[in-house]
Amino acid sequence: MPHLNASVPDVRSLDQPVRDAMFVLFSGHYSGTSKAQFERDLSEKDSVILLRDNIGKVCGFSTLVMFPFRHEGQDLRIVFSGDTIIERAHWGSQTFAYAWIRHIGKLARETPDVPLYWLLIVKGHRTYRYLPAFGLRFVPDWRGEQDSRLMKLRDAVAAERFGEAYDAETGLVRHAPVQGHLAPEYADISERERKRADVRYFLDHNPGYAQGDELVCLCELGPDNMRPLTRRLFAQGLSA
């Protein structure tokens, strides 16, 4: 597999050729969107995990924004993941995952006494499957009973972030008009994938994913809620 290099530039520092390359990648994976919408969404983010190959071609990216949130008298910080796309040829690479969690460690270092949470809205089962790669507890969780505290926080954050587009009963964001959906070749799910418990759960709870419905997920980003490898990478970001 070709090697990838990761960087985390501020959105404001991205020149137009990089933005154009990101949109080409985005439009190849999502239908029902536009360059104007892409630029508008990008302008609302702080930073980008940017993946390039050895000749500098943009092969993937994930946009991020951090915002404060107060819940039940406690100050929190929320990391919201926007569009996340990696070329199919690089789906087995861990470069993105490692860069992402190291960056989260750097963000946590800024205010170590303020709990940090990851807000993720999911249009496809592959993104949903990122959650257990990073965290031990998250919602919604296909493995059993839901954490009521996390669910309550998720609903509060989503209601503030997405307004009337968020349905707390289903945990879904439905934009009107639709703000993009997976291209058919990426929305398709194989029979082998459908046999997975996590994929079945995602399909049961987001049956309209192919039309652009997004399942809202929340995960605490702290050492006590991380797998061993994730914890080590997070610690590298804390000490960088």
Side-chain angles (χ1 to χ4, degrees), residues 10-224:
D10 291 341
V11 165
R12 293 186 299 273
S13 72
L14 299 175
D15 60 25
Q16 198 57 51
V18 170
R19 290 169 177 262
D20 292 342
M22 290 170 62
F23 179 70
V24 168
L25 193 59
F26 176 79
S27 60
H29 289 72
Y30 287 93
S31 304
T33 187
S34 67
K35 182 68 178 297
Q37 180 182 312
F38 173 79
E39 289 283 359
R40 182 170 59 252
D41 290 345
L42 185 60
S43 71
E44 296 172 352
K45 305 300 188 296
D46 298 327
S47 56
V48 181
I49 310 290
L50 193 63
L51 303 178
R52 300 174 186 261
D53 63 16
N54 287 333
I55 63 171
K57 175 190 173 186
V58 175
C59 298
F61 66 89
S62 181
T63 61
L64 299 171
V65 64
M66 173 82 74
F67 59 91
F69 192 77
R70 189 164 179 82
H71 180 67
E72 296 183 341
Q74 184 178 27
D75 289 325
L76 311 172
R77 292 203 303 164
I78 310 294
V79 178
F80 173 42
S81 287
D83 299 318
T84 300
I85 300 166
I86 300 173
E87 282 187 342
R88 186 188 291 269
H90 300 282
W91 278 3
S93 171
Q94 297 301 313
T95 303
F96 163 73
Y98 289 4
W100 190 89
I101 197 61
R102 288 190 183 104
H103 182 62
I104 295 302
K106 292 179 181 178
L107 294 176
R109 185 183 61 193
E110 296 172 356
T111 53
D113 296 329
V114 180
L116 184 62
Y117 289 82
W118 179 25
L119 176 66
L120 179 69
I121 55 173
V122 182
K123 289 181 179 176
H125 72 280
R126 295 180 186 88
T127 304
Y128 180 61
R129 286 158 55 187
Y130 267 120
L131 287 160
F134 294 117
L136 300 175
R137 299 175 302 279
F138 52 86
V139 292
D141 188 342
W142 74 87
R143 297 168 298 187
E145 186 176 349
Q146 305 303 319
D147 183 317
S148 60
R149 181 188 66 86
L150 274 180
M151 290 291 278
K152 186 175 182 181
L153 176 57
R154 180 199 70 164
D155 291 342
V157 174
E160 179 173 297
R161 187 78 190 179
F162 307 111
E164 294 182 355
Y166 179 62
D167 180 355
E169 186 172 335
T170 62
L172 297 174
V173 171
R174 296 186 177 99
H175 292 289
V178 173
Q179 297 183 6
H181 55 84
L182 285 169
E185 60 266 37
Y186 295 104
D188 187 47
I189 301 176
S190 70
E191 288 304 314
R192 181 169 177 267
E193 289 173 320
R194 288 177 184 272
K195 294 178 180 178
R196 294 178 56 113
D198 50 359
V199 175
R200 291 198 306 271
Y201 182 94
F202 175 78
L203 293 175
D204 287 344
H205 288 78
N206 189 9
Y209 80 96
Q211 288 75 51
D213 290 355
E214 298 170 293
L215 181 66
V216 182
C217 305
L218 191 74
C219 177
E220 186 167 5
L221 295 169
D224 292 342

